């Protein structure tokens, strides 16, 4: 049940501070660099400084602090986590890493639990459909991650509760027109027992990652190349088999080129993404290896002073190179073309985008998006959008024995959004109403099935303020979801959620306090508990700049040692601490 008293306290606290006027640039919402306030969608951008300042445990925990996002965990750091944007399934969010489509073709989405925060330079979250720009998977939103490109040497180390420890190093070197970047790190934790009823051991993880990148700027354009390797092991508790540990490996490579020729911007990229997970135990071993090769090209130009155009093509092949058991089909190809027009005149902004995807399993899928904004005054803007999106079934949903349904249809949706935005020197506020109808939603425990119709609607309120040394970030989301075949809520979607973070900074000292509230959630007919109660978590942290080269950070999560669950039956962390050091020689 929603607690209005808590909301009132947090809103009152929120209104005691004001937000600084730092312009953020959206790179992925329109596939070109655009000031965030000019994007006709709900966008949140986190730069490296803010990612570090928030001191989140991992990437899912960081994303759960943002408007319109809730989190479901099967344990602690390293274990499986579901990230739901505006009530969409985990697989309804496209995850881009340095512009490359990522994720397992068998799962149908990117697992974020083992994607290290230490490797991330920037995060851009676009809430709402973006399939007209990116195709399948971008039904509920896009999470676009840019990895580290440090401009100097930086060394970080951290320790924390449950045996948590890690270190990472970033380097950069420039020689004329050639710039090189490298980041490498390791991380581990003993963890805690995530299911008391299944296994008595602690469930931890081990991880190591490395990234190498090069940029070469010439008269023919900017050439880029990059390689990322992220591997590790995590432990879990499993009620369906004896397997309780998994080895993971993610490798991504790309080469790219971009050039400004007269009034035209050209960009092309060729990439390969490999995703491997091998689960094992005393009695069995299950490997799943998938490969995605992708090519994309786009061009953009200003047709007139008020009208701009962007268009391009996209091709990718997904292949299951190894799976246990064998799948009936192991490969599919997607070919697509897209085009967009953007118009800006006086107080008006208009945008239209269409895309056509040809998947060899399903034929054509057409998606589109229309948006308009009107500047009501210097600080106030009204925005309206409608878009169509789809998601193709994953290989597991189509071909995994005992669960698969080869007759599944792609999930399709129509989404609307109406937003009112205030942008001032010290205050940014947005209230957004959204409504999405999904046909052929894929659900199921014993077998994947298409739900004829599901609906999701909700309201987001976000207020960011700064006033002198004080700061406040407040987010509230109301969500109403329904499976029209059963009349029940969709699983693991809380009706109400609140995130608040208040901060104070003076000289070299910065401190913050946070509160996160989530109302009760329906867990499904097959869950150990049909409904989980709501909860509020408090946190406290701070940082101190010891000198120009060295800083220290510390935090306490779950300050009141709240006993709570976000996934029925799975234990979550009690009160826990973390301490980290950053060293960057000048």
């Amino acid at each position: 049940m929603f607690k209005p008293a808590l909301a009132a306290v947090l809103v009152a606290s929120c209104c005691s501070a004001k937000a600084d006027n730092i312009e953020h640039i959206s790179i992925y919402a329109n596939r070109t660099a655009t000031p965030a306030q000019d994007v006709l969608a709900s966008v949140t951008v986190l730069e490296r400084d803010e990612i570090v300042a928030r001191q989140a445990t991992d990437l899912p925990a960081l994303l759960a602090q943002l408007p319109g996002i809730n989190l479901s965990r099967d344990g602690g750091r390293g274990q499986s986590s579901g990230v739901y944007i505006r009530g969409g399934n985990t697989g309804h969010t496209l995850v881009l890493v340095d512009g490359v489509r990522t994720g397992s073709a068998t799962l149908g989405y990117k697992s974020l639990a083992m994607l290290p925060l230490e490797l991330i330079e920037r995060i851009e979250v676009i809430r709402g459909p973006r399939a007209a720009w990116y195709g399948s998977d971008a039904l509920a939103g896009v999470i676009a991650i840019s990895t580290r490109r440090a401009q100097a040497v930086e060394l970080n180390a951290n320790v924390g509760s449950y045996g948590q420890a890690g270190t990472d190093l970033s380097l950069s070197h420039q020689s004329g027109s050639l710039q090189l970047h490298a980041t490498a790190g390791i991380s581990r934790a003993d963890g805690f027992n995530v299911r008391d009823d299944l296994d008595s051991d602690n469930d931890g993880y081990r991880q190591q990652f490395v990234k190498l990148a090069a940029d070469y700027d010439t008269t023919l354009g900017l050439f880029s190349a990059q390689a990322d390797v992220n591997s590790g092991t995590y432990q879990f508790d499993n009620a369906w088999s004896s397997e309780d540990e998994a080895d993971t490996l993610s490798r991504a490579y790309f080469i790219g080129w971009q050039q400004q020729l007269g009034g035209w911007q050209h960009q092309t990229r060729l990439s390969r993404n490999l995703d491997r997970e091998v689960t094992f135990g005393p009695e069995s071993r299950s490997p799943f290896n998938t490969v995605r090769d992708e090519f994309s090209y786009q061009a953009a130009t200003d047709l007139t002073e008020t009208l701009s155009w962007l268009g391009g093509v996209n091709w990718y092949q997904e292949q299951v190179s190894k799976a246990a058991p064998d799948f009936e089909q192991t490969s599919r190809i997607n070919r697509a073309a897209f085009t967009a027009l953007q118009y800006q005149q006086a107080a008006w902004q208009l945008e239209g985008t269409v895309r056509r995807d040809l998947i060899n399993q399903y034929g054509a899928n057409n998606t589109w998006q229309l948006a308009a904004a009107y500047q009501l005054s210097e600080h106030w803007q009204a925005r309206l959008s409608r878009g169509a999106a789809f998601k193709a079934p994953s290989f597991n949903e189509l071909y995994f024995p005992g669960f698969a349904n080869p007759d599944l249809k792609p999930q399709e949706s129509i989404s609307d959004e109406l937003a009112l935005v205030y942008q001032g020197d010290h205050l940014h506020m947005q209230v957004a109403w959204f409504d999405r109808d999904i046909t052929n939603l894929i659900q199921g425990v014993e077998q994947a099935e298409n739900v004829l119709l599901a609906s999701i609607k909700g309201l987001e309120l976000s207020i960011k303020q700064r006033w002198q040394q004080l700061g406040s970030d407040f987010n509230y989301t109301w969500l109403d979801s329904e499976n029209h075949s059963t009349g029940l809520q969709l699983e693991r979607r809380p009706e109400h959620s609140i995130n608040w973070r208040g901060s104070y900074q003076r000289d070299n000292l910065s401190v913050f306090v946070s509160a996160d509230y989530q109302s009760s959630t329906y867990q499904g007919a097959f869950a150990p508990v049909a409904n989980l109660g709501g909860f509020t978590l408090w946190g406290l942290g701070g940082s101190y700049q010891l000198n120009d080269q060295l800083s220290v950070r510390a935090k306490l999560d779950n300050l009141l040692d709240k006993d709570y669950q976000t996934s029925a039956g799975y234990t979550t962390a009690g009160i826990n601490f973390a301490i980290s050091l950053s060293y960057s020689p000048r």
Side-chain angles (χ1 to χ4, degrees):
M1 183 176 180
F2 179 50
K3 301 180 180 178
L6 175 62
V9 169
L10 295 184
V11 170
S13 302
C14 180
C15 293
S16 66
K18 295 186 179 180
D20 53 358
N21 187 26
I22 299 176
E23 182 179 65
H24 288 295
I25 301 297
S26 168
I27 299 173
Y28 294 99
N30 295 340
R31 300 183 70 108
T32 58
T34 306
Q37 65 267 24
D38 292 336
V39 175
L40 305 188
S42 296
V43 178
T44 299
V45 178
L46 298 179
E47 305 291 351
R48 177 66 183 175
D49 288 347
E50 188 169 1
I51 294 172
V52 172
R54 286 176 176 263
Q55 298 192 55
T57 305
D58 58 5
L59 178 57
L62 176 65
L63 294 171
Q65 298 175 14
L66 304 182
I69 299 179
N70 70 280
L71 172 66
S72 174
R73 280 192 183 277
D74 291 351
R77 181 168 176 175
Q79 275 79 47
S80 176
S81 299
V83 175
Y84 305 86
I85 294 183
R86 289 185 171 178
N89 290 346
T90 297
H92 291 171
T93 298
L94 173 64
V95 177
L96 302 173
V97 178
D98 294 317
V100 176
R101 177 185 296 265
T102 64
S104 165
T106 49
L107 283 177
Y109 58 86
K110 173 69 175 179
S111 177
L112 300 177
M114 292 288 280
L115 206 165
L117 268 180
E118 296 84 356
L119 191 60
I120 297 176
E121 184 72 30
R122 187 178 189 274
I123 300 173
E124 182 176 335
V125 179
I126 305 130
R127 300 183 299 282
R130 227 60 189 162
W133 299 90
Y134 292 102
S136 178
D137 301 351
L139 190 147
V142 174
I143 298 173
I145 295 168
S146 301
T147 55
R148 295 298 310 277
R149 260 178 154 76
Q151 300 301 311
V153 176
E154 183 178 323
L155 176 64
N156 300 289
N158 66 83
V159 295
S161 299
Y162 307 113
Q164 172 66 41
T167 185
D168 62 272
L169 174 66
S170 293
L171 303 170
S172 180
H173 175 73
Q174 184 159 359
S175 176
S177 298
L178 177 65
Q179 190 164 23
L180 304 174
H181 304 273
T183 298
I186 56 173
S187 184
R188 52 90 68 198
D190 296 327
F192 52 87
N193 186 14
V194 301
R195 285 286 296 262
D196 293 331
D197 58 328
L198 295 179
D199 209 338
S200 60
D201 66 334
N202 290 333
D203 299 293
Y205 79 96
R206 304 289 186 274
Q207 185 175 44
Q208 44 279 329
F209 55 89
V210 62
K211 168 196 169 175
L212 301 173
D215 296 321
Y216 187 54
D217 197 359
T218 75
T219 57
L220 298 177
L222 177 64
F223 295 86
S224 301
Q226 183 170 302
D228 291 302
V229 180
N230 177 23
S231 64
T233 298
Y234 69 92
Q235 299 165 324
F236 58 95
D237 287 341
N238 189 349
W240 295 278
S241 72
S242 64
E243 297 174 359
D244 60 1
E245 194 166 342
D247 287 339
T248 67
L249 173 64
S250 174
R251 292 185 292 179
Y253 313 95
F254 79 75
I255 55 174
W257 167 80
Q258 54 184 307
Q259 172 69 304
Q260 179 82 36
L261 292 173
W264 289 82
Q265 297 176 346
H266 299 270
Q267 180 178 306
T268 188
R269 176 168 294 178
L270 180 63
S271 65
R272 165 165 280 205
N273 185 269
L274 300 95
D275 189 285
R276 186 188 75 185
E277 179 161 312
V278 181
T279 59
F280 56 90
E283 300 176 4
S284 60
R285 181 176 182 274
S286 301
F288 291 91
N289 297 355
T290 65
V291 180
R292 181 182 295 106
D293 294 312
E294 183 172 10
F295 170 81
S296 63
Y297 166 78
Q298 71 178 49
T301 189
D302 292 331
L303 300 176
T304 69
E305 291 184 358
T306 58
L307 185 65
S308 61
W309 173 86
L310 180 144
V313 294
N314 179 230
W315 174 95
Y316 61 87
Q317 178 178 356
E318 296 177 316
Q319 186 170 359
V320 181
S321 60
K322 182 182 292 186
D326 292 334
F327 285 180
E328 180 181 339
Q329 299 287 335
T330 60
S331 179
R332 67 184 175 197
I333 294 175
N334 189 96
R335 293 162 292 169
F338 56 90
T339 185
L341 285 172
Q342 294 174 307
Y343 172 82
Q344 186 167 0
Q345 174 68 45
W348 283 99
Q349 286 180 258
L350 303 174
E351 177 182 281
T353 310
V354 293
R355 175 174 170 128
R356 183 174 177 86
D357 287 82
L358 294 172
I359 306 175
N360 59 346
Q361 289 176 312
Y362 293 105
N365 289 91
N366 300 318
T367 51
W368 50 268
Q369 189 141 3
L370 300 172
Y374 183 75
Q375 198 71 32
L376 301 169
S377 66
E378 180 184 359
H379 300 296
W380 288 95
Q381 182 192 69
R383 191 179 72 235
L384 176 67
S385 66
R386 165 168 273 218
F390 81 101
K391 176 177 173 58
S394 70
F395 280 86
N396 279 355
E397 292 166 339
L398 289 169
Y399 306 121
F400 194 91
F403 173 75
N405 182 354
D407 297 324
L408 287 173
K409 301 176 182 177
Q411 303 171 77
E412 299 178 342
S413 73
I414 298 292
S415 300
D416 296 304
E417 180 183 57
L418 177 63
L420 184 65
V421 182
Y422 177 87
Q423 180 73 53
D425 291 339
H426 305 290
L427 168 67
H428 180 271
M429 180 178 68
Q430 174 177 290
V431 57
W433 171 83
F434 56 90
D435 191 348
R436 180 164 68 252
D437 289 332
I438 308 173
T439 55
N440 298 322
L441 177 70
I442 296 177
Q443 299 276 271
V445 176
E446 296 180 345
Q447 185 182 37
E449 297 177 326
N450 285 122
V451 175
L452 183 61
L453 178 65
S455 63
I456 302 169
K457 60 183 176 181
L459 185 75
E460 290 174 2
L461 171 65
S462 60
I463 305 173
K464 184 173 184 178
Q465 301 173 292
R466 294 292 182 270
W467 184 68
Q468 296 181 1
Q469 288 85 26
L470 296 175
S472 177
D473 293 272
F474 172 83
N475 301 308
Y476 165 69
T477 304
W478 170 73
L479 193 67
D480 181 21
S481 65
E482 182 182 354
N483 179 335
H484 289 267
S485 296
T486 63
L488 298 173
Q489 287 182 327
L490 298 180
E491 299 171 9
R492 303 186 182 187
R493 276 80 158 179
E495 185 177 1
H496 303 280
S497 58
I498 291 174
N499 309 105
W500 173 74
R501 185 177 186 271
S503 61
Y504 173 81
Q505 184 168 355
R506 183 167 183 175
D507 299 327
N508 294 334
L509 175 66
S510 176
V511 296
F512 70 87
V513 60
S514 64
D516 299 289
Y517 167 76
Q518 178 176 299
S519 64
S520 61
T521 55
Y522 173 64
Q523 295 289 300
F526 293 91
V529 178
N531 292 281
L532 291 177
F535 56 86
T536 302
L537 303 177
W538 291 88
L540 180 66
S543 64
Y544 187 76
Q545 191 77 33
L546 298 171
N547 54 48
D548 291 342
Q549 300 178 343
L550 186 64
S551 62
V552 59
R553 295 177 294 274
K555 67 160 185 173
L556 284 170
D557 277 338
N558 196 0
L559 197 58
L560 302 182
D561 200 23
K562 180 72 174 180
D563 184 12
Y564 72 101
Q565 293 182 356
T566 58
S567 178
Y570 287 90
T571 304
T572 50
I575 183 172
N576 61 94
F577 77 92
I579 299 173
S580 60
L581 288 169
S582 293
Y583 174 70
S584 182
R586 305 300 178 186

